[in-house]
Amino acid sequence: MKKLSILIVTAVVALGFSGCETPTQGAGTGAAAGAIIGGIAGGNIRSAAIGAGAGALTGAAIGQANKEQALRNGYYY
């Protein structure tokens, strides 16, 4: 059951990351999702904190990539 929960949350997060237009939005989404996944996987606050940190870094990187792609396509922020 725990693995299924992690898989479902990860799938939902992957869809959420596709909508992150800026590094700030990505970091916020990533931190929240990472904390949830870390909490489910490890079952303690330390796991949730590690997940939040990793998620924030990943989300910021995805947001930056999306922002750069939008700028290359002629969209401005």
Side-chain angles (χ1 to χ4, degrees):
M1 185 67 179
K2 185 188 269 190
K3 289 182 181 182
L4 179 62
S5 298
I6 293 170
L7 181 64
I8 291 170
V9 171
T10 304
V12 171
V13 169
L15 291 173
F17 275 148
S18 65
C20 296
E21 297 178 358
T22 65
T24 304
Q25 289 174 336
T29 303
I36 292 168
I37 293 170
I40 291 171
N44 58 38
I45 192 73
R46 182 176 180 204
S47 298
I50 292 169
L57 290 174
T58 304
I62 292 171
Q64 183 65 32
N66 287 346
K67 182 177 177 182
E68 290 173 3
Q69 180 67 34
L71 291 174
R72 280 193 297 275
N73 291 333
Y75 297 103
Y76 299 99
Y77 289 92

